[in-house]
Amino acid sequence: MRETHRQEFREFCDSVTQELVSASIQRENRVGWVSLKPTDGVGFELHSGYSLYEGSLGIAVYLAAYADVTGDERAETAARQAVAPWMEASPPLASFSNVGVMVGVGAVCYALVRVGVHLSDPSYVDKAIEVVRAVNHSRVRDGRTDVNFGTAGLLLAITGLLQQRPKAPVRSVGRSAVESLLTSGVKPSPDQLAWTTVRDDPTAGFAHGVDGIAYALGRWAAVTSDDRARDAALAGCRFSDSWLAKSVDPTGQQEVVSWEAWCWGRPGVALARAGLNDVLGDSHPWLANQAKIYASQMGDTPKPEDCLCHGTFGDIALQCEFGATIAETYRESARELAINAVKRATTAGQLRLPNERVESVARPSLLLGIAGAGYATLRLLAPERVPSVLNLSV
C-alpha cells in the first residue's frame, strides 16, 4: 500500500473516531449514542440501544480496535464507557429478547471479548463468561435460529470466547445451542439440512440464512470436535448450493442491493465457505473451491450506500477477507474501493448512509453507520490486529 493511501486511510479513521467521541452522550461513567431508525419505510425515529448491529456495543468494538492500533486514549476511554453497563454486577440482560450476535445476548459476549482482547484487559473476557453462563437454556432452545438474532449467533459468540479461553465453563450453553439447531433443522433431501429464519422458507445467506448457521456449527465443531455439528454444517452447505442453483432472490423482489451483500447474497455465502474451509478444509477440500466460485460471483455494481452491512464498505470488508482466505487480488480490489470511497466521503463531507443525516443526526453504528466505515478502513491498515467483524472473528 502506498504511504499516501495509508495516510488517507488513517486520517479517515481519525475523523470517524473524532465524530463518534464528539457525538457520544455521557452520563457518569457511561457513554451512548443516538441514531436514526426507520419506522414505516418513509419516516424515522431517534434510536439508541446496546446491539452490535446499530447500538453502542458495535461502536465500542470499533473504538477498542482503533485504540489498539493507534494507542488513542480517548477511543479507549469511550470504548470502556460504552460497555460499562455490562461490567456491573447485574448487567441488563433483560433488555434483550433475542440471543443473536448482532442483536441479542450474543452481541454482549462478542463485544466484551473483542474489547478485552484489544485493550489487553482480561476482566472483559471474565465478564463475557458470566454473561453466557447467565443465559437460560430455554431461551437458547425457543428462539430464532439465524446469526443476527438467533441461536447461531450466540453459538458464534461462545465459540469465539472459547478460542480465547478454552477452559471457560460455557460449553453447556454451546451444546444447548447446537442441540437446538440440530432439532429445528429440516431435511429437504437426505443429505441436506436447512433452517427457516426471517422468511417462511429456508434461504441461503450469512446474516439471515442457512450459510451463517452452517458456519456457526462448523466453527463450533472445529473447537470442540463435535462430529454432529460438523456433519450438520456440511449438510447446510449442500442445501445452500442446491438453493442457489435455482437463482432465487430470497427477498421476493427483483432488484434489491442486499442480495449482493453480506446479509443475503453470494458474497456472504462465500464468506461462510471461506471460514468453513479454514476450519474443516483439510478433510473437505471442496469448501475452498466453493468459496472461490461464490466470491467470483460478487457483483461489481457500485452500491448506493456506504454502510458495512450491504454497502460500499461492506464490499471493502468482504474483499479484504477474501484477500486473506482466497486470493491476494481481492485485497488489492478492497484497497482500490477504499481509496475511492474515502476520497468521495472526504470531498462530500459525509458518507452515504441509510437514512443519512437529518438535522445533523448521523448514524454512528457499526453495521449501518460511520463506525462500520471506519472499521473496514482500519482493517486495511492493520489486518493482523483488526479481525473481520462480518464473520465474527476474534
Side-chain angles (χ1 to χ4, degrees):
M1 184 188 304
R2 293 181 181 178
E3 187 58 34
T4 54
H5 295 150
R6 178 174 291 277
Q7 184 63 29
E8 288 172 355
F9 290 173
R10 172 60 192 269
E11 290 174 357
F12 178 72
C13 292
D14 291 346
S15 68
V16 167
T17 303
Q18 176 61 43
E19 184 165 355
L20 289 171
V21 172
S22 298
S24 64
I25 301 170
Q26 188 155 2
R27 182 180 180 183
E28 297 177 350
N29 69 330
R30 304 180 182 186
V31 296
W33 289 264
V34 174
S35 184
L36 295 174
K37 184 176 182 179
T39 52
D40 53 9
V42 178
F44 67 92
E45 63 184 5
L46 294 180
H47 169 73
S48 63
Y50 292 125
S51 75
L52 191 71
Y53 191 84
E54 58 178 342
S56 58
L57 290 171
I59 298 170
V61 169
Y62 165 71
L63 290 170
Y66 178 86
D68 184 11
V69 173
T70 67
D72 189 278
E73 294 182 0
R74 298 170 311 150
E76 177 176 342
T77 298
R80 290 182 184 276
Q81 291 176 330
V83 297
W86 306 101
M87 296 299 289
E88 296 179 353
S90 299
L93 292 175
S95 62
F96 285 123
S97 59
N98 300 304
V99 297
V101 74
M102 286 294 168
V103 183
V105 178
V108 182
C109 174
Y110 180 79
L112 287 173
V113 171
R114 286 291 307 277
V115 169
V117 171
H118 283 303
L119 303 185
S120 300
D121 188 337
S123 68
Y124 291 99
V125 183
D126 294 339
K127 196 64 180 183
I129 294 171
E130 288 185 36
V131 167
V132 172
R133 295 189 71 189
V135 175
N136 189 303
H137 288 236
S138 64
R139 290 188 67 188
V140 177
R141 293 190 294 269
D142 297 338
R144 302 187 185 186
T145 59
D146 64 330
V147 166
N148 270 22
F149 298 100
T151 306
L154 177 62
L155 187 62
L156 279 172
I158 294 172
T159 302
L161 174 54
L162 287 172
Q163 287 177 302
Q164 295 298 318
R165 295 277 186 87
K167 295 184 179 180
V170 295
R171 292 180 184 240
S172 64
V173 183
R175 286 192 291 269
S176 290
V178 170
E179 194 62 34
S180 175
L181 291 172
L182 293 180
T183 55
S184 63
V186 297
K187 286 194 168 187
S189 72
D191 66 340
Q192 297 179 8
L193 193 61
W195 296 264
T196 55
T197 57
V198 295
R199 288 176 58 82
D200 294 334
D201 299 319
T203 61
F206 193 101
H208 307 295
V210 168
D211 298 276
I213 300 171
Y215 171 68
L217 288 165
R219 283 267 304 271
W220 170 265
V223 170
T224 64
S225 301
D226 185 331
D227 291 343
R228 294 173 70 212
R230 178 205 60 208
D231 292 344
L234 299 173
C237 291
R238 286 190 285 269
F239 165 80
S240 182
D241 290 340
S242 174
W243 191 89
L244 285 166
K246 301 173 185 177
S247 299
V248 177
D249 172 359
T251 65
Q253 302 174 36
Q254 291 299 314
E255 295 182 6
V256 63
V257 172
S258 61
W259 179 221
E260 288 302 334
W262 162 78
C263 35
W264 283 108
R266 285 175 171 81
V269 176
L271 183 70
R273 297 304 166 85
L276 284 174
N277 178 61
D278 186 48
V279 296
L280 302 177
D282 288 345
S283 301
H284 305 279
W286 51 273
L287 290 168
N289 186 55
Q290 288 182 331
K292 291 177 182 177
I293 291 172
Y294 290 127
S296 71
Q297 295 172 349
M298 184 174 179
D300 57 4
T301 302
K303 300 291 174 62
E305 296 175 344
D306 288 328
C307 63
L308 187 61
C309 178
H310 53 261
T312 302
F313 283 89
D315 285 354
I316 291 166
L318 285 165
Q319 296 210 32
C320 183
E321 184 63 17
F322 296 158
T325 57
I326 298 176
E328 177 63 27
T329 54
Y330 286 105
R331 199 191 307 270
E332 296 169 5
S333 296
R335 293 189 191 114
E336 289 301 315
L337 272 177
I339 290 167
N340 293 331
V342 166
K343 285 182 177 178
R344 174 173 39 75
T346 302
T347 300
Q350 67 180 50
L351 293 162
R352 304 168 306 172
L353 300 173
N355 288 330
E356 62 187 62
R357 297 170 188 265
V358 177
E359 296 181 357
S360 299
V361 179
R363 296 197 84 150
S365 65
L366 185 64
L367 269 291
L368 295 178
I370 63 173
Y375 192 96
T377 307
L378 189 67
R379 179 154 160 71
L380 285 173
L381 282 171
E384 71 287 351
R385 300 175 76 172
V386 183
S388 170
V389 72
L390 292 184
N391 68 8
L392 290 309
S393 293
V394 295

